[in-house]
Structure formats: C-alpha cells, structure tokens
Amino acid sequence: MNAVTATATDAGHFDVLIVGAGISGVGAAYHLRQQSPDRSFVVLETLESFGGTWLTHKYPGIRSDSDLYTFGYRFKPWVGPPIATAEEILSYMGEVIEENDLAPHIRYRHRIERATWSSERNLWTIEAVRLDTGEPLRFTANFLWMCQGYYRQSEGYTPEWAGMDSFEGRIVHPQTWPDDLELKGKKVVIIGSGATAATLLPNIADDCGHVTLLQRSPTYFIPGRNAIDIADQLRLLEVDEAWIHEIVRRQQLYNQDLFTRRSIEEPEVVKAELLAGVSAFVGPEITAKHFTPSYRPWRQRIAFVPDGDIFQAVKQGKASVVTDEIDRFTEKGILLKSGETLEADVIITATGFNLNVLGDIDFVVDGKPLDFANTVTYRGMMFTGVPNMVWVFGYFRASWTLRADLIADFVCRLLNHMRDKGVSKVEVALRPEDKDMALKPWIDPENFNPGYLMRGMHLLPKAGDKPEWRHSQDYWREKDELPLIDLDDPAFVYGGKAAAETKAA
C-alpha cells in the first residue's frame, strides 16, 4: 500500500465501480439496476456533471454525427430530430438519470488516479481525488466497468507546425473552446475536414468576416434533411413513442447495414452516390476539387450533414474551401505548400483528439504496472491478464451506444454467472488452441484508419485472428453473437470464493 492509499479516506466498498458518467456510464448504471439489482455500485466522474463529450465540448453548433434513434438508448425513446444538439442529448440523459433514480449513485468531481488489483484479495482498490476539496479517497470494488470513453477530455490533438509561435492571432482547438472568443467580422481559418469542422463552419459563418476551411484531404459526408419520414408519419397517426422508437431504430439499423455492405462490395457506386449528394449543393467542379476523397467510403467515419448546411455556406459565398498542405504559420496567417497565403485573425485546429485508452489512470495488477498494449483483447471488451474488468469501446460505423447496450447485457450476465458459480474472480486467457495464434493490431488499418487510431495504435491491445480475440466493429454480427457467448468457454478463467455482496443502495 503506497503513501497516498495509506492516508486516503475510506470511501466505501462496492460490488461494481463504473468509471465515467457519459453516455456509456449512465447506460451501464441503468442496466445494472435492471439486470443485476442486488449489487451495490458507484459511478465516479471527473467532471462536474454527467454527459462526457456533450458536456465538455462547447464549440458553436456541437451536435451528434449519427442519428439519436440509434445513438440513444434502446430503452429510452428519442422524440426529437435525429441529429441532435449537445443540449438536447444532455436533456435526454438527464431524464434517464431522473426516471431511474441514478443520481444517488453518481459522484462528480472525483478523478481516479490509480487502480490496483490484488489476486490475494480478489479486489480492486481505486485511489481517487475529490477535486472540489482535494481530499484523497480510497474505494474498493469487486468489479471495474470502464466507461470513460477513448480520448483525452482535457486537450485535443493539434499538430506542431513551423511558425506557430509567430502567429499574432489566436489558435483555438474546438475541444477547449474559450468563452471569450470573438469572431464577429474576423477572418477565420478552420484546419480539418471531419465532422467537427463541418459542424463549426456553418455555425460561425454568419458572424465571421469570412471563414475558410483548410483541409489536407477531403472527407465523405451525407447531406440530407434532419428528419425521418417514417417517424413523422407515425406521429401523425399518434402511435406510441416506444413503438416509433423501435420501428425507426430498426429501419435505421437496416439502412446502415445495407450502406456498410455496399461500401465494401460496390465502393465506386456508393462513392458516386455520395458525391452526387454534395454536387447537388455546390456543383460538380467544387465537388471534384474539394469534396472527393481518395479512399473508399467507410475507411473513415462518415458524418451526416443536416440540410447540407456546410455546403450551403460554401454555395452562398460565406465560406470557401482550400485543399492544400501547410508549409508554416506566419504572423498574419498560414503559408501553404502551393505558395498561397491564407490571412487569418483566428485559426481553429479541428484536427482531432488524443487517444486515451484507460483514462490516464495508472493500473497495477498484482504489483506490476499494466501495459495495455501487451494484452490480447477478448471481443474488444476484456483483456488477458486483467481480472474483473470490462471496457466499453463502441462502433466506428454505427452508433457508440449500440455497443454500450450490448456490453451492458454481457457484463450483467457475467456478474450473475459469477454469483451462480460462487466465484469472485474472472479473467480471459488464451486457450491451448490459441497459443500459436498470430497477433495483429487492434484494428486492421486497411479496414478503418482515422488519424487518432493510427497515432495511438501502439497503446492498444493486440487482436488475434479468431472471432473471440478481436473487436469486429460489426454491430450486425455482434447483436447476435454477444448474447450467445458461452460463459463457461475455456477462454474464461474463474477463481476465488465469492464474498458476500453488499446490498445495492
């Protein structure tokens, strides 16, 4: 026991400790109460409230890039527009917390510093700091449910370009948007080509003197109405919202599955369809020059653009697009490799985020620091050599929450199975038939290769060449496979006599 643990205040023991009160953590708390109600649990959250991404991101226009019928929980009907604002998503999550009396279980402003597993005690010891008082706290838990997300909340990713120190204006990352930023009448350059850049541009274009989107390479987008016809029709018929949610959710999932398969089986046809959608707004010339990616559809995430707002801003002359590479920053703007100079008062680096696989928490297993990259993943949820822990990592080509719900079912089933077996420890291990299995990167770069993954692949666990030992990223397979996982398969190694569970508060 180190000095911090020795002097920390004992904050209690729980059967399950959930890390994070974002979309995954709130969902985990709900499912635990529904499917394993006898267990005590606590949710520890660093921020001052729930919401995660939707709380920390304050940039203009912040919205979902996938529809809320699938990004929302399966158990809570969504009744707003399919592409929702952060405020609407936070309101929805707040209703989930209130309706299910989850608030007493959530402790805000609690930052976890260290998590230590003891096989002697079959127990996690979690060292945390209460940020409002600075008090060190010590929790113990039988099981750790990691719902903290996958990127560092405190800072976004900004490349180091030559001359940045010489720029006389402001450089801002959307993830840490300043309250005092004034854009009215200013010349603004947004660096980036993803969903954040596409959201920001139309939401600041009316205030700026002019805004320029500077991208190294184009991204695919899907422009369309921020509405779903069948949902509107069912509401006209006064169908129950729970039915509407389920029907629209199934339709969306069917359409997404079809689109994903077509992107792989007939990529050129899908590419032509996507580009035609853009060309309808800005014409074929601008589409060919600035909105035609070099890769096949779905090798990176595709954002839905409600009402084609970014393209409308370009068409109306409020914004322009430049596709080029940065040579260096200057006092007045950016010098491009083509020799062109972009003048700017404000430069916004919508250049992504930093992968953060374990929430900047120091993990120790039986006295040894955990190197996550030396583990092998079990279906992207559990990891060899790490007992009594499950990690939530969602989908790239479908809504994150779809997988959060599936993993919650798995965790609750696993916890109940451990209770029935009378054991207190479970971990995954390679079976005899897996010993010579070839190990590969967490995600195949040929299949999906966004920048944040490529920069952080060395931090992630290894994958195998068998279904059990990789994160398939395929919701349409996992929705059938995960519920059928044999919890007595030799990949699961159980041990320890079950201690008496503390009653849920």
Side-chain angles (χ1 to χ4, degrees):
M1 187 177 295
N2 64 34
V4 175
T5 305
T7 59
T9 301
D10 187 355
H13 173 77
F14 299 88
D15 298 320
V16 180
L17 189 145
I18 298 169
V19 180
I23 196 80
S24 302
V26 170
Y30 168 87
H31 286 293
L32 196 58
R33 290 205 70 178
Q34 295 295 316
Q35 300 184 47
S36 196
D38 293 336
R39 286 183 175 78
S40 64
F41 70 94
V42 67
V43 183
L44 299 188
E45 170 57 59
T46 301
L47 302 174
E48 68 276 12
S49 187
F50 61 88
T53 293
W54 310 109
L55 181 66
T56 59
H57 288 200
K58 309 288 189 184
Y59 63 83
I62 171 67
R63 65 193 181 199
S64 63
D65 69 347
S66 56
D67 72 276
L68 262 292
Y69 288 93
T70 58
F71 185 77
Y73 302 112
R74 70 176 185 228
F75 56 83
K76 168 74 171 172
W78 176 254
V79 299
I83 301 299
T85 65
E87 184 179 4
E88 290 168 330
I89 296 170
L90 288 172
S91 176
Y92 173 82
M93 292 179 67
E95 290 175 6
V96 171
I97 291 171
E98 182 178 356
E99 291 166 1
N100 298 281
D101 196 28
L102 300 180
H105 298 271
I106 306 175
R107 302 191 189 182
Y108 299 112
R109 304 295 286 157
H110 281 60
R111 184 181 68 218
I112 300 175
E113 306 280 351
R114 185 181 177 95
T116 304
W117 169 263
S118 166
S119 290
E120 183 179 350
R121 302 172 66 201
N122 287 325
L123 203 65
W124 283 104
T125 298
I126 292 91
E127 300 164 36
V129 174
R130 184 170 164 174
L131 297 177
D132 55 347
T133 65
E135 180 184 14
L137 302 173
R138 179 180 63 253
F139 297 81
T140 55
N142 299 333
F143 198 92
L144 204 53
W145 196 338
M146 300 296 292
C147 298
Q148 85 292 345
Y150 62 108
Y151 68 91
R152 186 166 291 115
Q153 297 273 5
S154 60
E155 61 175 5
Y157 171 71
T158 299
E160 287 293 326
W161 286 291
M164 291 180 75
D165 292 342
S166 67
F167 179 58
E168 294 176 350
R170 294 187 70 171
I171 300 175
V172 173
H173 193 286
Q175 195 172 312
T176 48
W177 191 267
D179 293 334
D180 64 345
L181 183 62
E182 178 57 59
L183 297 178
K184 193 167 185 64
K186 300 287 182 66
K187 288 176 286 191
V188 178
V189 173
I190 302 173
I191 304 173
S193 60
T196 300
T199 300
L200 259 172
L201 187 146
N203 281 282
I204 64 174
D206 286 337
D207 285 336
C208 299
H210 190 75
V211 57
T212 301
L213 179 70
L214 171 60
Q215 58 181 8
R216 183 174 56 185
S217 57
T219 300
Y220 288 107
F221 295 106
I222 302 175
R225 291 176 58 241
N226 191 15
I228 296 177
D229 289 339
I230 190 173
D232 295 339
Q233 292 166 4
L234 292 172
R235 288 194 176 100
L236 280 175
L237 299 175
E238 299 182 348
V239 173
D240 183 270
E241 285 292 347
W243 287 28
I244 295 174
H245 185 72
E246 183 64 19
I247 291 168
V248 177
R249 185 180 173 90
R250 291 192 183 200
Q251 183 198 51
Q252 291 295 98
L253 290 171
Y254 175 83
N255 290 342
Q256 290 169 13
D257 182 28
L258 180 63
F259 179 73
T260 300
R261 286 189 283 108
R262 290 185 62 230
S263 295
I264 296 170
E265 295 169 2
E266 47 181 16
E268 290 304 314
V269 176
V270 172
K271 178 177 181 177
E273 293 171 356
L274 291 172
L275 297 184
V278 175
S279 183
F281 287 92
V282 297
E285 185 177 343
I286 292 178
T287 300
K289 186 174 182 180
H290 297 301
F291 293 109
T292 302
S294 59
Y295 56 91
R296 69 165 173 79
W298 263 140
R299 285 190 72 187
Q300 297 185 20
R301 191 168 176 86
I302 303 176
F304 183 88
V305 179
D307 304 313
D309 54 8
I310 180 177
F311 306 117
Q312 292 197 48
V314 173
K315 182 179 180 180
Q316 293 164 7
K318 298 175 181 178
S320 54
V321 183
V322 174
T323 303
D324 204 334
E325 294 188 45
I326 295 172
D327 181 77
R328 59 185 169 85
F329 281 44
T330 67
E331 292 179 357
K332 301 299 182 183
I334 298 174
L335 175 65
L336 304 175
K337 290 191 175 179
S338 64
E340 181 184 357
T341 297
L342 297 180
E343 292 189 0
D345 302 303
V346 178
I347 296 173
I348 301 171
T349 57
T351 44
F353 46 81
N354 293 304
L355 196 67
N356 184 17
V357 294
L358 289 173
D360 285 331
I361 299 168
D362 290 330
F363 274 78
V364 178
V365 176
D366 290 330
K368 296 180 180 179
L370 172 63
D371 186 346
F372 208 42
N374 288 336
T375 69
V376 181
T377 181
Y378 179 84
R379 295 186 181 271
M381 302 185 296
M382 298 179 72
F383 310 94
T384 55
V386 188
N388 289 24
M389 189 185 90
V390 165
W391 183 40
V392 178
F393 196 107
Y395 295 116
F396 299 128
R397 297 191 180 102
S399 293
W400 181 275
T401 322
L402 292 168
R403 195 162 203 265
D405 277 341
L406 288 176
I407 291 178
D409 293 339
F410 169 81
V411 171
C412 293
R413 191 161 68 94
L414 179 63
L415 291 172
N416 294 341
H417 189 67
M418 292 172 68
R419 178 196 58 209
D420 295 344
K421 289 176 73 74
V423 298
S424 59
K425 176 183 177 182
V426 62
E427 61 181 302
V428 291
L430 298 181
R431 302 159 298 190
E433 62 265 34
D434 303 321
K435 293 298 183 182
D436 297 324
M437 177 177 61
L439 297 182
K440 303 178 179 181
W442 167 260
I443 294 292
D444 179 4
E446 291 301 312
N447 185 35
F448 197 80
N449 57 13
Y452 68 89
L453 269 182
M454 296 304 98
R455 293 191 301 272
M457 194 73 80
H458 64 286
L459 303 173
L460 290 163
K462 300 297 186 292
D465 57 7
K466 299 179 181 179
E468 297 89 341
W469 300 109
R470 63 174 180 260
H471 184 3
S472 75
Q473 276 295 329
D474 187 341
Y475 165 75
W476 297 273
R477 284 179 50 190
E478 289 200 329
K479 70 180 177 62
D480 299 323
E481 293 177 353
L482 296 193
L484 297 178
I485 289 174
D486 179 4
L487 296 177
D488 287 317
D489 184 276
F492 295 96
V493 180
Y494 297 95
K497 187 176 180 180
E501 294 171 346
T502 57
K503 292 296 181 183

